[in-house]
Amino acid sequence: MSVDLNLSEAALAEPAARLMTRCDELAGISSDPDCLSRFYLTPEHRKANDKVAGWMRAAGLETWEDAAGNLWGRYAAADPAATQALIVGSHLDTVPNAGRYDGMLGVLTALSAVEQLRAAKVRLPFHIDIVGFGDEEGARFGTTLLGSRAVAGTWQDSWWELTDAEGVSLYSAFERFGLNPARIGEAARSPQGLLGYLELHIEQGPVLEQRDEPLGVVTAIAGARRVDIELVGHAGHAGTVPMNMRRDALVGAAEFILAAERVAREEGVVATVGRCEALPGGVNVIPGAVHLSLDIRSADDRLRDHALTIIRDQLKHIEELRELSSTWREIHNAPSVACAEWWQQLQCSVLSDLNLKALRLMSGAGHDAMAMAEITDCAMYFLRCKGGISHHPDESVAQADLIPAIATLVQTLLHVRRTG
């Protein structure tokens, strides 16, 4: 079958402008009139699903909502009886006070790519299923990837007891949204019917901008471990306790933070202390206890775990030196996920064919691809974002970069057609 597709800059200028406008329209659906906040199973989730479903239907897609509230749109194969599908998309929920491209850009760029295929009357040997996952961020119930985990068949019944800030349980939220919790298993997709999962996402980092490249190929998604730590010393009067007799928990915490940074640099991982609270918190009181967090990530789980062991040993040394004690509680442990090598080779070939550099880079942030990797081979493209800023209203992408983004997705779909 011959393919007559014009993917020139001039031909894709209008689709890129439309894509940007759709992102703006979708960003207007928020629970907060002063910023973008859109959470799972809320009225805003319903409005976002309805808005995107309307665009999908206008593009000739069959739409439906699954048992977890995820939105789907199918661009049917040349043979409607085809049994395999390629899933392309991302998520439609946001963090509080969000930017307008994280997640939703991936859904809408996939739709733009399919619109180009439809305009050229191109049908592939497999279905293209565009998905807008309902929950990736975990902003409402605290557990991330609820939408994609349901699709991957890894839903946990213990989640039904999770509650939001108003005390509404996940179970009740399902019912209020019009979903039946007893049918959650129906959201799962069979691995046998899938060719893979492809996601385009803003980079959320500065590498592409620094390298002056619009797109990159993701090699892996870092595995993360998070720990809650309490460091305990002895509170005392700031004016009466001699310096050589103090058991200052905050000074110990400061040494620990510097040690974590040093170890991370030496071992080639990333580690962050994002929360640190000194108690009792008086300006004239020696801190007797400190609560702090540690987040450590790497695409290599063994390297990450080795670094974490060293960091914990450093904490023990600080305790002995300063006569402190601590408790260490792990609250999150997610393995890294490697993107399929055949996908990466295909992606690099596509970028080269479009005269773009095939830059490979790791994702330090989590994505729906982590859950989808349980059932199919996954791939991701990163799109350049200004300053590497994400999860913030200043999140920004250049409209000019959407032209190669659309072209890249179209060509990727065509290459899968040739190899699938």
Side-chain angles (χ1 to χ4, degrees):
M1 178 181 64
S2 63
V3 177
D4 182 18
L5 274 166
N6 184 354
L7 299 178
S8 68
E9 183 175 340
L12 293 180
E14 191 278 333
R18 183 171 61 244
L19 173 53
M20 187 69 81
T21 298
R22 285 173 173 172
C23 287
D24 292 340
E25 287 188 39
L26 199 53
I29 301 175
S30 172
S31 61
D32 190 327
D34 298 321
C35 64
L36 174 54
S37 298
R38 187 169 59 244
F39 309 138
Y40 188 40
L41 304 177
T42 60
E44 294 72 38
H45 178 186
R46 166 63 60 217
K47 291 177 183 177
N49 276 10
D50 291 347
K51 172 71 76 174
V52 178
W55 291 330
M56 288 177 169
R57 287 191 292 270
L61 278 65
E62 172 195 356
T63 65
W64 71 95
E65 197 172 83
D66 69 19
N70 300 308
L71 173 66
W72 294 85
R74 169 165 287 187
Y75 184 64
D79 178 1
T83 59
Q84 287 196 308
L86 175 67
I87 298 177
V88 189
S90 192
H91 60 95
L92 294 174
D93 66 314
T94 76
V95 297
N97 194 31
R100 61 186 58 200
Y101 303 107
D102 180 344
M104 62 198 87
L105 182 66
V107 180
L108 298 179
T109 306
L111 178 58
S112 293
V114 166
E115 287 175 332
Q116 304 312 303
L117 295 177
R118 182 172 183 252
K121 296 181 172 56
V122 175
R123 295 279 177 173
L124 305 181
F126 51 86
H127 306 299
I128 300 173
D129 286 350
I130 300 177
V131 63
F133 289 116
D135 177 272
E136 190 258 14
E137 302 288 5
R140 184 177 181 189
F141 294 101
T143 295
T144 61
L145 307 177
L146 290 175
S148 48
R149 286 178 176 179
V151 174
T154 55
W155 187 274
Q156 298 180 25
D157 286 340
S158 60
W159 294 340
W160 293 123
E161 300 176 6
L162 295 172
T163 58
D164 65 11
E166 281 71 45
V168 178
S169 71
L170 181 58
Y171 190 98
S172 295
F174 259 63
E175 293 182 319
R176 294 182 186 184
F177 198 73
L179 301 171
N180 182 350
R183 301 181 65 178
I184 187 63
E186 296 177 15
R189 296 288 296 262
S190 168
Q192 288 71 34
L194 299 179
L195 284 174
Y197 171 75
L198 174 63
E199 179 172 355
L200 180 141
H201 202 283
I202 61 170
E203 183 193 350
Q204 301 179 278
V207 176
L208 289 172
E209 187 175 57
Q210 290 180 355
R211 299 287 292 273
D212 195 25
E213 297 293 338
L215 292 156
V217 175
V218 178
T219 58
I221 303 171
R225 293 179 69 177
R226 297 187 190 123
V227 182
D228 272 345
I229 302 165
E230 182 179 31
L231 199 57
V232 179
H234 195 277
H237 195 290
T240 61
V241 180
M243 296 300 290
N244 63 350
M245 296 178 64
R246 297 187 178 200
R247 295 167 56 201
D248 190 323
L250 184 56
V251 174
E255 288 191 347
F256 170 75
I257 294 168
L258 290 172
E261 180 190 49
R262 183 182 66 254
V263 172
R265 289 177 180 272
E266 292 172 350
E267 298 299 322
V269 303
V270 292
T272 304
V273 174
R275 186 183 69 251
C276 184
E277 179 187 13
L279 299 171
V283 297
N284 60 348
V285 181
I286 299 166
V290 173
H291 295 154
L292 65 159
S293 64
L294 176 68
D295 180 300
I296 183 168
R297 307 184 187 209
S298 173
D300 185 329
D301 290 344
R302 290 178 297 177
L303 186 62
R304 176 203 62 190
D305 294 347
H306 176 66
L308 186 60
T309 298
I310 297 174
I311 290 172
R312 189 165 191 179
D313 288 343
Q314 290 290 308
L315 178 60
K316 292 177 182 177
H317 175 71
I318 293 167
E319 290 176 44
E320 294 172 359
L321 183 67
R322 295 192 169 274
E323 298 183 53
L324 307 172
S325 61
S326 73
T327 58
W328 178 284
R329 183 172 67 94
E330 185 166 79
I331 58 173
H332 177 77
N333 189 334
S336 60
V337 172
C339 294
E341 182 59 32
W342 72 265
W343 264 121
Q344 293 183 53
Q345 292 177 6
L346 185 157
Q347 292 171 277
C348 289
S349 175
V350 165
L351 291 176
S352 295
D353 289 344
L354 291 171
N355 296 317
L356 297 171
K357 186 172 182 179
L359 179 65
R360 300 195 193 203
L361 66 166
M362 183 198 76
S363 172
H367 300 284
D368 288 302
M370 300 181 77
M372 295 300 291
E374 295 280 346
I375 57 171
T376 193
D377 288 346
C378 291
M380 291 189 68
Y381 283 110
F382 270 165
L383 181 76
R384 171 169 53 191
C385 58
K386 186 177 180 180
I389 296 171
S390 73
H391 286 187
H392 188 277
D394 289 345
E395 196 173 273
S396 178
V397 301
Q399 184 170 310
D401 283 351
L402 300 183
I403 292 174
I406 296 170
T408 296
L409 279 191
V410 171
Q411 290 285 37
T412 302
L413 295 174
L414 293 174
H415 277 69
V416 174
R417 178 183 63 83
R418 297 186 186 110
T419 60

